[in-house]
Amino acid sequence: MAEPVYLDNAATTPVDPRVFDAMRPYWLEEWGNPSSVYAIGRRARRALDNARDRCAQVLNCRANEIIFTGCGSESDNLAIKGSAIALSEQRGWKHIVTSRIEHHAVLHACEWLSTHLRFEVTYIDVDQHGQVDPASVAAAVRPDTAVVSIMYANNEVGTIEPITEIARAVKAVNPGTVFHTDAVQAGGLLPIDVQALEVDSLALSGHKFYAPKGVGLLYVRRGTPLVHLLSGGGQERGIRAGTENVAYIVGMTAALELAAEERDTRVAHVSGLRDRLINGITEEIADARVTGHPTQRMPNSASFAIAGADGESLLLNLDQEGIYASSGSACTSGTLEISHVLRALGLPEVEARGSLRLTTGIRSTDADVDRLLEVLPGIVERVREVTPSLVS
């Protein structure tokens, strides 16, 4: 069999060897607890402080506005729940605004606040391309709106949202509302200058940009109301208890810097491959529709709705050919139900059930694209033959 073809970089990315090299000493030599007062602990603390300073430089913020977490989901939960609860306690505000296409980390955090603390949640519709209208968000903001959370880029269809415009629209209605963005998909390929984005909080996850799984960060603008969710020691200024994972934090920092330094080169590489996928699939496969925004989309994201073809069957057949892809976000790829994102886009069921997400990465090659384009038309034909009930 040919070498495996990995086209699911929106789900996770392999650790960059340079990132691994940066992490290695903090497993084998400098393994101290950064809260310890003796020498090996102080060296770990210096590494942690240095990482925070470097992350802040990339994000264009203060070092004390960076909180290290275990993943993007934790960052989203801390931002949304932490600010919502804080403003509920301080001002009695119990209203949240979000979109219908958010990652489940955001949607479930909002649902938790609604179920357990009686917050009211307003869900904003999107257009056929998955884009949020800033005016629609502004119209939903009320005097008691504690948090608005709109993602920077969608994890399933790759649509990029006009975050700065949305942030300005929110603040024009209620300057006290906290504006959060889930930037997990955007972090490795889009600019993440928090001053330019004008956000109050922003979530990132290391494994989306060639750092290991199990580490993330949350930017929180100074002065933003926030209560802690984890109780324990005083780590991360008392906001996130638990001994910091120094090796992973160092690795994520190195990966974040590399992503910023190499962004132009990476974007040119992955977008060229993405465009080949989009052009090839729409030309070779009848009734294959590109989902997401035609131009305002992630540079590496090619997503499709293929009428009459079951998405899970497509993935299983691709897997047999050594090609790894997704039919929606990684968190929902084990279910046969149509994703909430495709439902929000208003796709007919016959198309939505044939969702296919292909996301390129810095290791992807023209040969990978050639291989996918070689085998996919035949796979689609076979899948359509055995699933006639899906054909309109």
Side-chain angles (χ1 to χ4, degrees):
M1 180 182 287
E3 284 294 312
V5 173
Y6 184 72
L7 291 172
D8 200 18
N9 288 274
T12 195
T13 56
V15 174
D16 189 308
R18 296 169 294 180
V19 170
F20 179 82
D21 289 342
M23 297 167 63
R24 189 180 185 279
Y26 297 95
W27 281 313
L28 301 181
E29 292 109 27
E30 302 297 340
W31 39 261
N33 187 322
S35 296
S36 300
V37 298
Y38 41 76
I40 194 171
R42 293 197 303 271
R43 291 197 296 272
R45 170 59 57 182
R46 283 196 294 271
L48 188 65
D49 291 343
N50 177 258
R52 202 183 311 274
D53 288 341
R54 290 158 57 196
C55 286
Q57 283 190 319
V58 175
L59 270 63
N60 190 22
C61 66
R62 300 178 178 88
N64 63 8
E65 295 175 317
I66 298 288
I67 301 165
F68 292 121
T69 67
C71 60
S73 292
E74 182 190 345
S75 296
D76 283 329
N77 273 262
L78 176 55
I80 295 168
K81 294 178 182 176
S83 289
I85 293 170
L87 282 167
S88 172
E89 293 175 347
Q90 293 174 15
R91 305 180 189 179
W93 294 1
K94 302 195 74 169
H95 178 235
I96 302 168
V97 177
T98 191
S99 83
R100 295 193 183 278
I101 63 166
E102 299 296 311
H103 189 276
H104 282 120
V106 169
L107 293 176
H108 290 170
C110 294
E111 290 169 9
W112 186 92
L113 287 165
S114 174
T115 300
H116 297 283
L117 298 180
R118 299 184 182 278
F119 276 76
E120 183 181 350
V121 184
T122 298
Y123 296 94
I124 303 298
D125 291 326
V126 296
D127 66 16
Q128 63 180 331
H129 302 307
Q131 200 153 60
V132 175
D133 180 5
S136 297
V137 180
V141 175
R142 310 185 321 206
D144 65 337
T145 301
V147 176
V148 173
S149 183
I150 304 294
M151 67 195 334
Y152 193 175
N154 185 261
N155 48 300
E156 291 193 33
V157 297
T159 296
I160 300 170
E161 305 296 348
I163 291 301
T164 304
E165 290 79 5
I166 297 172
R168 290 173 180 171
V170 168
K171 296 295 185 177
V173 178
N174 186 343
T177 296
V178 173
F179 184 74
H180 171 69
T181 189
D182 172 357
V184 167
Q185 283 299 325
L189 291 169
L190 299 184
I192 47 172
D193 182 331
V194 296
Q195 308 308 325
L197 292 171
E198 301 185 22
V199 297
D200 294 311
S201 57
L202 177 147
L204 290 175
S205 183
H207 78 104
K208 304 296 187 177
F209 48 89
Y210 307 96
K213 303 168 190 65
V215 63
L217 69 77
L218 176 66
Y219 156 76
V220 181
R221 187 179 298 275
R222 186 170 64 175
T224 299
L226 188 75
V227 300
H228 71 269
L229 303 182
L230 288 177
S231 299
Q235 294 90 351
E236 299 300 296
R237 306 192 321 279
I239 298 172
R240 201 270 187 180
T243 301
E244 295 93 345
N245 190 339
V246 178
Y248 278 36
I249 290 169
V250 168
M252 180 178 64
T253 301
L256 193 63
E257 289 177 327
L258 288 167
E261 293 166 6
E262 300 175 0
R263 180 172 295 120
D264 291 346
T265 302
R266 292 185 181 191
V267 167
H269 176 71
V270 300
S271 62
L273 298 173
R274 174 206 64 186
D275 291 346
R276 285 196 60 212
L277 286 168
I278 290 174
N279 294 334
I281 289 173
T282 54
E283 289 173 5
E284 296 296 326
I285 299 174
D287 297 322
R289 178 198 294 196
V290 178
T291 55
H293 199 282
T295 57
Q296 296 301 307
R297 65 186 303 124
M298 284 294 292
N300 69 332
S301 179
S303 57
F304 306 89
I306 302 175
D310 173 65
E312 295 295 320
S313 297
L314 293 176
L315 295 187
L316 291 172
N317 277 268
L318 286 170
D319 183 37
Q320 290 179 349
E321 297 287 346
I323 300 174
Y324 310 135
S326 173
S327 63
S329 71
C331 298
T332 60
S333 60
T335 176
L336 290 173
E337 292 186 9
I338 296 172
S339 83
H340 67 287
V341 173
L342 297 181
R343 287 191 184 278
L345 268 58
L347 286 180
E349 183 169 339
V350 68
E351 296 182 10
R353 287 196 176 278
S355 66
L356 179 65
R357 183 185 70 177
L358 305 169
T359 44
T360 57
I362 60 175
R363 294 188 186 181
S364 301
T365 65
D366 280 307
D368 293 337
V369 174
D370 291 340
R371 177 65 178 154
L372 184 282
L373 295 177
E374 175 189 355
V375 304
L376 184 60
I379 288 174
V380 170
E381 183 178 353
R382 293 197 302 273
V383 170
R384 282 173 168 167
E385 287 176 353
V386 298
T387 54
S389 61
L390 291 178
V391 181
S392 59

